[in-house]
Amino acid sequence: ASPNNGTSAIAEMEFPDGFSPELRFFALVRDTIASVPQALAPAEYVRKQVQIQAESCGIVNRLPRGTALPQYIRSVLHFMATPAHAHAARTQRAAPGAAPPPPAALIEFDDLTQSYRWIASPEHCTDLVLLRLEAMHYERYVSQHGGVYGVGGSKGLHAAPIKSQKSLLTLPPGSAEQLAVLQQQEAERFGAPDRPYVYTLRD
C-alpha cells in the first residue's frame, strides 16, 4: 500500500476524544523488540528505548494531561501482553467505529529472563492495525484514570490544573472560652452538613 493510501485510511478512522494519530507507542514497541538480534528483548531495554524514541519525536506532548511517560509505557506494554479473552472480558460496551479487541496478545513476557517476545501474526504488525489498537488503549487508559472530555472540557486528565487558593479570612487568636465556642459551632455545622450555617463570632 502506498503512503497516500495509509494517510487516507487514517483520515477515515474514528478516534476517541483527545487522541492524536501521532501517538505511535505500539509501533515503537514493535520496532524496539525487532531491533534486538535475539528472540527476547530485555524489558528494561524496551522501556528505556521506547521512552527515548517517544521523547525524541515529541509525542510526549500528546499524552493525556498529567500522565507520566514511564507510567504510560508500562500501560502500553501491559495492554499489548494481555490475552484476547482478558480484553474481551473488560470490554463491556464499544463505541460505534471503535477498534475491536486484538485477536491475541501482541507480545509475551518471559518471567525467567524478564524479557519481551513479539508473538503477533504479520497481519497484526502493520502501522494501521497498531494505530487502531493504540487508539483503543488510549481510550481505556483515559477511562481508568478519571475520564476525559473533549476540547474545552473541564473534567478528567485534560482538565486545566486546579490551583489552590489561600483563604483570605483568618481568625485572630482568641481565649480558651472563644475556642470552645467555635468548636461547639463546628460540631453543630458538621452535624447537619446539608443545611446552611452561620457562625457567631464574638469580638
Side-chain angles (χ1 to χ4, degrees), residues 22-25 28-29 32 46-63 69-70 72-73:
E22 295 179 17
L23 283 178
R24 298 296 179 98
F25 284 93
L28 289 179
V29 171
T32 298
V46 173
R47 287 192 291 267
K48 286 185 176 180
Q49 285 301 309
V50 170
Q51 179 169 342
I52 291 172
Q53 293 299 321
E55 291 172 341
S56 65
C57 62
I59 62 175
V60 177
N61 297 329
R62 302 297 183 180
L63 293 178
L69 179 55
Y72 196 80
I73 293 174

Side-chain angles (χ1 to χ4, degrees), residues 59-119:
I59 62 175
V60 177
N61 297 329
R62 302 297 183 180
L63 293 178
R65 178 172 295 175
T67 300
L69 179 55
Q71 172 192 5
Y72 196 80
I73 293 174
R74 287 194 297 270
S75 177
V76 166
L77 292 170
H78 177 74
F79 184 95
M80 296 178 75
T82 300
H85 63 84
H87 277 301
R90 294 175 183 175
T91 304
Q92 297 181 355
R93 63 184 181 86
L106 301 177
I107 59 177
E108 182 180 63
F109 182 72
D110 184 75
D111 287 315
L112 183 62
T113 61
Q114 295 291 295
S115 302
Y116 287 106
R117 176 191 293 111
W118 188 269
I119 60 174

Side-chain angles (χ1 to χ4, degrees), residues 13-190:
M13 292 174 62
E14 294 185 20
F15 296 115
D17 289 341
F19 178 81
S20 169
E22 295 179 17
L23 283 178
R24 298 296 179 98
F25 284 93
F26 282 52
L28 289 179
V29 171
R30 176 200 60 192
D31 297 343
T32 298
I33 294 178
S35 70
V36 178
Q38 62 271 25
L40 293 170
E44 186 64 22
Y45 170 81
V46 173
R47 287 192 291 267
K48 286 185 176 180
Q49 285 301 309
V50 170
Q51 179 169 342
I52 291 172
Q53 293 299 321
E55 291 172 341
S56 65
C57 62
I59 62 175
V60 177
N61 297 329
R62 302 297 183 180
L63 293 178
R65 178 172 295 175
T67 300
L69 179 55
Q71 172 192 5
Y72 196 80
I73 293 174
R74 287 194 297 270
S75 177
V76 166
L77 292 170
H78 177 74
F79 184 95
M80 296 178 75
T82 300
H85 63 84
H87 277 301
R90 294 175 183 175
T91 304
Q92 297 181 355
R93 63 184 181 86
L106 301 177
I107 59 177
E108 182 180 63
F109 182 72
D110 184 75
D111 287 315
L112 183 62
T113 61
Q114 295 291 295
S115 302
Y116 287 106
R117 176 191 293 111
W118 188 269
I119 60 174
S121 56
E123 61 267 27
H124 298 127
C125 298
T126 66
D127 288 344
L128 196 59
V129 170
L130 292 181
L131 181 59
R132 290 194 180 100
L133 297 177
E134 184 97 44
M136 180 180 175
H137 165 263
Y138 179 95
E139 187 172 27
R140 289 193 180 185
Y141 180 91
V142 169
S143 68
Q144 293 170 359
H145 293 77
V148 62
Y149 280 42
V151 176
S154 59
K155 179 183 178 182
L157 296 172
H158 287 273
I162 299 175
K163 295 182 179 179
S164 60
Q165 297 182 350
K166 184 177 181 181
S167 174
L168 299 178
L169 175 64
T170 57
L171 296 177
S175 64
E177 179 185 359
Q178 290 174 320
L179 179 60
V181 172
L182 178 61
Q183 290 175 338
Q184 178 183 356
Q185 294 184 65
E186 282 281 87
E188 294 173 357
R189 182 175 74 90
F190 287 116

